Amino acid sequence: MTDIKYDYLIVGAGLFGAVFAYEAGKAGKKCLVVDKRSHTGGNVYCENIDGINVHKYGAHIFHTSNKDIWDYVNQFAVFNRYTNSPLANYKGELYNLPFNMNTFYQLWKVATPEAAQMKIREQVEKLNIKEPKNLEEQALSLVGPDIYNKLIKDYTEKQWGRPATELPAFIIKRLPLRFTYDNNYFDDKYQGIPEGGYNVIIDKMLANADICLNVDFFAEREALSERAHKIVYTGMIDQYFNYCYGKLEYRSLHFEHEQRNIPNYQGNAVVNYTDKETPYTRIIEHKHFEFGTQPVTVVTKEYPADWSEGKEPYYPINDDRNSNLYKQYKELAEKEMNVIFGGRLAEYKYYDMHHIIAHALKKVRLELDNSK
Ligand code: FAD
Ligand code: UDP
């Protein structure tokens, strides 16, 4: 590396870092982006295998109701018409997700919204839950025990490695509940997959930045920090502060990718396994994200895992203990004048891609305005 002084050292070449680099570059700023992985893109990275864009870190479907964000991403790629409609496999029985009239018909043979609502109401009233205090109570009070026991409880407890009674209620509110025959997993106005995968977007965003891969910020912290006026940090916030208040908890995943010599393995991009016995939560068949017609296929089994140092921290665990601990780190972060913290790990939030883009744009625009 040479001695150039950069305006920004961006730690993490994920979506947050890439949006920041793109906007700063447009404003004439020089950015050095480092990532400890061997590729850019963070968790949206895709690897092309047999002509199929494989989402190496789990299924990524872009969705938003924010027209500005939709227009923003569309300047980097053409989005296809993919609509996420996962299936749930519970001990061999198949159900449509999210919870909608198809699911209710499959479960109870009720064919009208009124009959489905009555069925749920009968079940929910018996429980007498006034104010749901955790994910279990929230789910039960929304859909009742039949759906909770077949489609939510075991999946959730596998995914998070803890009882649903110890998880925050907001997690289950990510899933729509509707009384129409509509299997669209999202309520958002806009949805799709970028043709050619997410790398198309990331490559364009990072085109004007200098990039160093296989570089862990903490291995060269001082030398790297000296190379720029400011740092944009998108890694784990507790690691940045040397875990001084203790460790935040994360949930990790393990992915098993398999090439299969058949054109179509499961007929759908996403199939969730909602029973306790199956060790993985979902199987992804990547070609279906882009309506692929290749003679072969690639499928990925997604296994939830405990997080420990050295593993990838995919999900923050936003329970009370961790949320309080995060607040302490956030106070420290606010005092770091030359560091901008952003992204899923540095803000310790269950952000989707559209949230990340919105937050990155807000932060970079504020920063660029202040630096004028
Ligand atoms: P990341 O993508 O995690 O990028 C952070 C980068 O920083 C990584 O590349 C990491 O290697 C690097 N880094 C960390 N520490 C260091 C260090 N010390 N030194 C150097 N580099 C470092 N969102 C949706 O909108 N739709 C979906 O369908 C969807 N599905 C998802 C499925 C899964 C399984 C997961 C885990 C997430 C999903 N998301 C989805 C969320 C989406 O992945 C995130 O919102 C987004 O990718 C976060 O971007 P980021 O830049 O904050 O973080
Ligand atoms: N969930 C569930 N059953 C399913 C799918 C999801 O109970 O078949 C619950 C589970 O608690 C999960 C949450 O809904 O953590 C959010 O699901 P989502 O698909 O949004 O999770 P992600 O794709 O972020 O892992």
Side-chain angles (χ1 to χ4, degrees), residues 83 87 96 101 118 127 133 158 186 202 216 229 254 259 289 301-302 318 323 331 349-350:
T83 300
L87 289 167
N96 286 111
M101 283 307 298
M118 201 193 295
L127 301 168
K133 287 186 293 298
K158 269 198 294 201
F186 303 111
I202 298 290
D216 188 330
H229 298 296
H254 161 73
Q259 283 167 268
F289 288 127
K301 289 185 179 138
E302 187 174 319
N318 297 112
S323 301
E331 278 170 23
K349 287 219 171 56
Y350 198 168

mmCIF file of all heavy atoms in Angstrom, residues 83 87 96 101 118 127 133 158 186 202 216 229 254 259 289 301-302 318 323 331 349-350:
data_model
loop_
_atom_site.group_PDB
_atom_site.id
_atom_site.type_symbol
_atom_site.label_atom_id
_atom_site.label_comp_id
_atom_site.label_asym_id
_atom_site.label_seq_id
_atom_site.Cartn_x
_atom_site.Cartn_y
_atom_site.Cartn_z
ATOM 1 N N THR A 83 -41.148 -12.530 -7.128
ATOM 2 C CA THR A 83 -41.937 -12.265 -5.914
ATOM 3 C C THR A 83 -41.694 -13.417 -4.958
ATOM 4 O O THR A 83 -41.911 -14.579 -5.319
ATOM 5 C CB THR A 83 -43.451 -12.218 -6.260
ATOM 6 O OG1 THR A 83 -43.654 -11.171 -7.210
ATOM 7 C CG2 THR A 83 -44.303 -11.942 -5.041
ATOM 8 N N LEU A 87 -42.449 -21.732 0.620
ATOM 9 C CA LEU A 87 -43.319 -22.794 1.117
ATOM 10 C C LEU A 87 -42.784 -23.223 2.469
ATOM 11 O O LEU A 87 -41.571 -23.116 2.725
ATOM 12 C CB LEU A 87 -43.270 -24.003 0.189
ATOM 13 C CG LEU A 87 -43.947 -23.837 -1.161
ATOM 14 C CD1 LEU A 87 -43.554 -24.975 -2.094
ATOM 15 C CD2 LEU A 87 -45.472 -23.824 -0.969
ATOM 16 N N ASN A 96 -48.439 -22.829 2.249
ATOM 17 C CA ASN A 96 -47.982 -21.552 1.693
ATOM 18 C C ASN A 96 -47.654 -20.567 2.810
ATOM 19 O O ASN A 96 -48.309 -20.551 3.855
ATOM 20 C CB ASN A 96 -49.059 -20.938 0.796
ATOM 21 C CG ASN A 96 -49.160 -21.668 -0.521
ATOM 22 O OD1 ASN A 96 -50.147 -22.347 -0.796
ATOM 23 N ND2 ASN A 96 -48.133 -21.551 -1.328
ATOM 24 N N MET A 101 -54.875 -16.937 2.980
ATOM 25 C CA MET A 101 -56.014 -17.833 2.753
ATOM 26 C C MET A 101 -55.579 -19.220 2.258
ATOM 27 O O MET A 101 -56.208 -20.221 2.602
ATOM 28 C CB MET A 101 -57.000 -17.206 1.760
ATOM 29 C CG MET A 101 -57.892 -16.113 2.327
ATOM 30 S SD MET A 101 -58.793 -16.573 3.822
ATOM 31 C CE MET A 101 -59.791 -17.923 3.240
ATOM 32 N N MET A 118 -62.807 -16.436 11.832
ATOM 33 C CA MET A 118 -63.526 -17.014 12.958
ATOM 34 C C MET A 118 -62.687 -18.116 13.618
ATOM 35 O O MET A 118 -62.563 -18.200 14.829
ATOM 36 C CB MET A 118 -64.876 -17.569 12.488
ATOM 37 C CG MET A 118 -65.859 -17.719 13.647
ATOM 38 S SD MET A 118 -67.249 -18.689 13.193
ATOM 39 C CE MET A 118 -67.997 -17.682 11.955
ATOM 40 N N LEU A 127 -56.919 -18.049 24.728
ATOM 41 C CA LEU A 127 -55.592 -17.848 25.344
ATOM 42 C C LEU A 127 -55.573 -16.667 26.305
ATOM 43 O O LEU A 127 -54.768 -16.617 27.224
ATOM 44 C CB LEU A 127 -54.533 -17.614 24.255
ATOM 45 C CG LEU A 127 -54.375 -18.726 23.244
ATOM 46 C CD1 LEU A 127 -53.528 -18.261 22.071
ATOM 47 C CD2 LEU A 127 -53.733 -19.942 23.899
ATOM 48 N N LYS A 133 -45.901 -10.187 25.461
ATOM 49 C CA LYS A 133 -44.630 -9.723 26.031
ATOM 50 C C LYS A 133 -43.418 -10.280 25.294
ATOM 51 O O LYS A 133 -42.297 -9.882 25.536
ATOM 52 C CB LYS A 133 -44.554 -10.142 27.502
ATOM 53 C CG LYS A 133 -45.484 -9.335 28.411
ATOM 54 C CD LYS A 133 -45.286 -9.657 29.878
ATOM 55 C CE LYS A 133 -45.686 -11.071 30.278
ATOM 56 N NZ LYS A 133 -47.110 -11.395 30.080
ATOM 57 N N LYS A 158 -35.274 -22.983 16.402
ATOM 58 C CA LYS A 158 -34.061 -23.435 15.685
ATOM 59 C C LYS A 158 -33.261 -22.220 15.249
ATOM 60 O O LYS A 158 -32.051 -22.145 15.409
ATOM 61 C CB LYS A 158 -34.478 -24.154 14.378
ATOM 62 C CG LYS A 158 -34.688 -25.604 14.461
ATOM 63 C CD LYS A 158 -34.659 -26.265 13.086
ATOM 64 C CE LYS A 158 -35.786 -25.895 12.152
ATOM 65 N NZ LYS A 158 -36.011 -26.861 11.072
ATOM 66 N N PHE A 186 -43.910 -10.410 1.144
ATOM 67 C CA PHE A 186 -43.723 -9.023 1.582
ATOM 68 C C PHE A 186 -44.942 -8.179 1.230
ATOM 69 O O PHE A 186 -45.570 -8.389 0.195
ATOM 70 C CB PHE A 186 -42.475 -8.411 0.916
ATOM 71 C CG PHE A 186 -41.220 -9.196 1.182
ATOM 72 C CD1 PHE A 186 -40.582 -9.896 0.154
ATOM 73 C CD2 PHE A 186 -40.677 -9.253 2.458
ATOM 74 C CE1 PHE A 186 -39.434 -10.628 0.409
ATOM 75 C CE2 PHE A 186 -39.530 -9.985 2.718
ATOM 76 C CZ PHE A 186 -38.897 -10.679 1.685
ATOM 77 N N ILE A 202 -23.031 -3.834 -6.469
ATOM 78 C CA ILE A 202 -21.869 -3.519 -5.608
ATOM 79 C C ILE A 202 -20.677 -3.085 -6.464
ATOM 80 O O ILE A 202 -19.979 -2.119 -6.129
ATOM 81 C CB ILE A 202 -21.507 -4.753 -4.730
ATOM 82 C CG1 ILE A 202 -22.678 -5.103 -3.792
ATOM 83 C CG2 ILE A 202 -20.206 -4.521 -3.975
ATOM 84 C CD1 ILE A 202 -22.955 -4.118 -2.667
ATOM 85 N N ASP A 216 -8.104 -7.525 7.689
ATOM 86 C CA ASP A 216 -8.887 -7.327 8.906
ATOM 87 C C ASP A 216 -8.437 -6.023 9.555
ATOM 88 O O ASP A 216 -7.264 -5.878 9.900
ATOM 89 C CB ASP A 216 -8.688 -8.510 9.865
ATOM 90 C CG ASP A 216 -9.649 -8.424 11.045
ATOM 91 O OD1 ASP A 216 -10.014 -7.290 11.442
ATOM 92 O OD2 ASP A 216 -10.037 -9.475 11.571
ATOM 93 N N HIS A 229 -8.682 10.621 6.726
ATOM 94 C CA HIS A 229 -9.132 11.625 7.696
ATOM 95 C C HIS A 229 -10.214 11.063 8.602
ATOM 96 O O HIS A 229 -10.293 11.390 9.768
ATOM 97 C CB HIS A 229 -9.681 12.860 6.960
ATOM 98 C CG HIS A 229 -8.646 13.540 6.119
ATOM 99 N ND1 HIS A 229 -7.525 14.127 6.672
ATOM 100 C CD2 HIS A 229 -8.543 13.718 4.789
ATOM 101 C CE1 HIS A 229 -6.786 14.644 5.707
ATOM 102 N NE2 HIS A 229 -7.376 14.390 4.550
ATOM 103 N N HIS A 254 -24.629 -21.503 9.087
ATOM 104 C CA HIS A 254 -23.678 -22.299 8.335
ATOM 105 C C HIS A 254 -24.403 -22.706 7.047
ATOM 106 O O HIS A 254 -25.552 -23.163 7.103
ATOM 107 C CB HIS A 254 -23.286 -23.512 9.197
ATOM 108 C CG HIS A 254 -22.689 -24.624 8.434
ATOM 109 N ND1 HIS A 254 -21.421 -24.558 7.926
ATOM 110 C CD2 HIS A 254 -23.189 -25.835 8.093
ATOM 111 C CE1 HIS A 254 -21.176 -25.677 7.290
ATOM 112 N NE2 HIS A 254 -22.219 -26.470 7.376
ATOM 113 N N GLN A 259 -24.218 -28.738 -5.669
ATOM 114 C CA GLN A 259 -24.575 -28.725 -7.097
ATOM 115 C C GLN A 259 -25.304 -30.019 -7.397
ATOM 116 O O GLN A 259 -24.872 -31.083 -6.969
ATOM 117 C CB GLN A 259 -23.307 -28.627 -7.945
ATOM 118 C CG GLN A 259 -22.728 -27.222 -7.977
ATOM 119 C CD GLN A 259 -21.332 -27.180 -8.528
ATOM 120 O OE1 GLN A 259 -20.381 -27.262 -7.759
ATOM 121 N NE2 GLN A 259 -21.205 -27.078 -9.839
ATOM 122 N N PHE A 289 -34.600 -17.659 -8.469
ATOM 123 C CA PHE A 289 -34.634 -16.194 -8.265
ATOM 124 C C PHE A 289 -34.599 -15.450 -9.596
ATOM 125 O O PHE A 289 -35.034 -14.315 -9.699
ATOM 126 C CB PHE A 289 -33.435 -15.727 -7.437
ATOM 127 C CG PHE A 289 -33.519 -16.107 -5.988
ATOM 128 C CD1 PHE A 289 -32.479 -16.783 -5.371
ATOM 129 C CD2 PHE A 289 -34.636 -15.773 -5.238
ATOM 130 C CE1 PHE A 289 -32.543 -17.123 -4.036
ATOM 131 C CE2 PHE A 289 -34.708 -16.106 -3.891
ATOM 132 C CZ PHE A 289 -33.660 -16.787 -3.291
ATOM 133 N N LYS A 301 -28.472 -25.436 1.862
ATOM 134 C CA LYS A 301 -29.155 -25.670 3.148
ATOM 135 C C LYS A 301 -28.611 -24.665 4.145
ATOM 136 O O LYS A 301 -27.389 -24.485 4.228
ATOM 137 C CB LYS A 301 -28.877 -27.091 3.640
ATOM 138 C CG LYS A 301 -29.577 -28.137 2.811
ATOM 139 C CD LYS A 301 -29.379 -29.523 3.379
ATOM 140 C CE LYS A 301 -30.132 -30.524 2.520
ATOM 141 N NZ LYS A 301 -29.371 -31.744 2.285
ATOM 142 N N GLU A 302 -29.515 -24.026 4.880
ATOM 143 C CA GLU A 302 -29.109 -22.981 5.831
ATOM 144 C C GLU A 302 -29.293 -23.505 7.260
ATOM 145 O O GLU A 302 -30.416 -23.761 7.686
ATOM 146 C CB GLU A 302 -29.984 -21.754 5.567
ATOM 147 C CG GLU A 302 -29.585 -20.530 6.342
ATOM 148 C CD GLU A 302 -30.405 -19.297 5.918
ATOM 149 O OE1 GLU A 302 -30.654 -19.095 4.710
ATOM 150 O OE2 GLU A 302 -30.812 -18.554 6.825
ATOM 151 N N ASN A 318 -31.764 -8.894 19.413
ATOM 152 C CA ASN A 318 -32.257 -7.658 20.036
ATOM 153 C C ASN A 318 -33.150 -7.928 21.247
ATOM 154 O O ASN A 318 -34.256 -7.401 21.328
ATOM 155 C CB ASN A 318 -32.971 -6.800 18.992
ATOM 156 C CG ASN A 318 -32.030 -6.359 17.875
ATOM 157 O OD1 ASN A 318 -32.133 -6.775 16.730
ATOM 158 N ND2 ASN A 318 -31.068 -5.521 18.211
ATOM 159 N N SER A 323 -29.854 -5.317 23.958
ATOM 160 C CA SER A 323 -30.238 -3.953 23.579
ATOM 161 C C SER A 323 -29.650 -2.953 24.570
ATOM 162 O O SER A 323 -29.177 -1.882 24.182
ATOM 163 C CB SER A 323 -31.755 -3.797 23.537
ATOM 164 O OG SER A 323 -32.266 -4.707 22.603
ATOM 165 N N GLU A 331 -23.318 4.947 23.052
ATOM 166 C CA GLU A 331 -22.860 6.194 23.702
ATOM 167 C C GLU A 331 -21.384 6.428 23.435
ATOM 168 O O GLU A 331 -20.954 7.558 23.194
ATOM 169 C CB GLU A 331 -23.130 6.129 25.209
ATOM 170 C CG GLU A 331 -24.572 6.485 25.528
ATOM 171 C CD GLU A 331 -24.943 6.203 26.968
ATOM 172 O OE1 GLU A 331 -24.049 6.152 27.841
ATOM 173 O OE2 GLU A 331 -26.155 6.006 27.206
ATOM 174 N N LYS A 349 -28.667 -3.804 14.438
ATOM 175 C CA LYS A 349 -30.110 -3.789 14.131
ATOM 176 C C LYS A 349 -30.432 -4.777 13.028
ATOM 177 O O LYS A 349 -29.644 -4.988 12.112
ATOM 178 C CB LYS A 349 -30.537 -2.399 13.653
ATOM 179 C CG LYS A 349 -30.586 -1.407 14.761
ATOM 180 C CD LYS A 349 -31.768 -0.448 14.625
ATOM 181 C CE LYS A 349 -31.897 0.377 15.881
ATOM 182 N NZ LYS A 349 -30.647 1.106 16.202
ATOM 183 N N TYR A 350 -31.625 -5.339 13.110
ATOM 184 C CA TYR A 350 -32.112 -6.334 12.152
ATOM 185 C C TYR A 350 -32.553 -5.599 10.890
ATOM 186 O O TYR A 350 -33.727 -5.554 10.553
ATOM 187 C CB TYR A 350 -33.289 -7.062 12.806
ATOM 188 C CG TYR A 350 -33.701 -8.385 12.210
ATOM 189 C CD1 TYR A 350 -34.578 -9.206 12.900
ATOM 190 C CD2 TYR A 350 -33.234 -8.829 10.974
ATOM 191 C CE1 TYR A 350 -34.989 -10.424 12.395
ATOM 192 C CE2 TYR A 350 -33.637 -10.038 10.458
ATOM 193 C CZ TYR A 350 -34.520 -10.830 11.175
ATOM 194 O OH TYR A 350 -34.927 -12.034 10.664
#
